[in-house]
Amino acid sequence: MISLKTFFYSSANTNGISNLLKQYIAGQLFCLPYILPMYAPTINSYKRLVDGAWAPTTVTWGIENRTTALRVINSSVKNMRLETRVPGADSNPYLAMSAALASGLYGIKNKLSLEMLPVKGNAYTQQSVSKLPSNLMDATEKMKNSDISKTLFGEKFVEHFTQTRFWECAEFSKSVTDWELKRYFEII
């Protein structure tokens, strides 16, 4: 019988989180604002990323906390894992997984220190944490101008990918939504 050992667990550390997992989390948190379009690639992605919707809006992590971007599940040694909660059903799973792995491995490679404490309670109400960009245009600008995104994925990929997201924003700006029609048709 094969026994698999998790490298994310350590009985010597608080909450059972190994130093390796701390570096992995630190990498994901550090890179998250700069690679967000890989997790949230559409206009509609940001309709989900709002306070109170059980989707993350902040650069945070926590233990069994569904309001944070990263959720450590540590109910037992066998179940020890990290959930990256930002991607939605509209993300490309290959790009989302690439973003999660690349940013986590960046933290390990650079031995990043996890300075942020795990969020307890509601991450939406935390005043001292960084907010994620709230729309595709802002997120794409941040990715395009980031050295981190280019380090992780290369300049050519970042240039091409961000141009596709800018195009998406431009296409959306040409359309009139049902909400706008209902709201303004009789008023204006």
Side-chain angles (χ1 to χ4, degrees):
M1 183 165 137
I2 298 174
S3 174
L4 297 176
K5 179 184 178 211
T6 178
F7 292 100
F8 282 176
Y9 179 80
S10 171
S11 60
N13 291 344
T14 307
N15 297 314
I17 299 172
S18 71
N19 291 333
L20 188 71
L21 179 54
K22 288 179 183 178
Q23 292 173 345
Y24 192 85
I25 291 170
Q28 280 205 358
L29 291 173
F30 180 74
C31 298
L32 178 58
Y34 308 107
I35 58 174
L36 184 59
M38 294 178 73
Y39 293 132
T42 70
I43 299 292
N44 282 350
S45 300
Y46 298 85
K47 309 284 185 185
R48 182 180 141 272
L49 300 176
V50 296
D51 291 352
W54 295 107
T57 59
T58 56
V59 181
T60 52
W61 75 283
I63 307 294
E64 291 287 352
N65 190 334
R66 293 177 193 263
T67 65
T68 58
L70 303 176
R71 174 183 173 219
V72 173
I73 301 165
N74 67 343
S75 58
S76 73
V77 175
K78 290 167 81 175
N79 291 332
M80 184 67 156
R81 63 192 183 276
L82 178 67
E83 178 182 55
T84 303
R85 304 196 67 257
V86 181
D90 58 349
S91 67
N92 177 315
Y94 301 106
L95 292 180
M97 183 61 77
S98 296
L101 289 172
S103 59
L105 293 173
Y106 178 87
I108 292 170
K109 178 182 177 185
N110 293 288
K111 297 186 180 352
L112 297 184
S113 177
L114 182 59
E115 302 296 330
M116 179 189 296
L117 295 174
V119 169
K120 294 183 181 184
N122 189 343
Y124 303 126
T125 61
Q126 304 289 318
Q127 300 299 315
S128 62
V129 297
S130 297
K131 292 285 239 175
L132 290 170
S134 61
N135 61 69
L136 183 58
M137 180 61 85
D138 291 346
T140 303
E141 283 286 346
K142 199 167 192 94
M143 183 176 187
K144 179 181 175 37
N145 297 320
S146 163
D147 289 335
I148 290 297
S149 64
K150 293 169 189 158
T151 296
L152 296 177
F153 301 106
E155 285 188 39
K156 286 184 180 182
F157 172 83
V158 172
E159 178 62 26
H160 175 74
F161 183 74
T162 57
Q163 288 305 312
T164 68
R165 299 306 81 212
F166 287 136
W167 181 84
E168 186 78 3
C169 292
E171 289 300 300
F172 177 71
S173 71
K174 297 175 191 174
S175 68
V176 177
T177 66
D178 289 345
W179 184 89
E180 292 166 305
L181 288 173
K182 288 176 188 173
R183 176 82 174 162
Y184 301 119
F185 189 73
E186 293 294 327
I187 296 174
I188 299 176

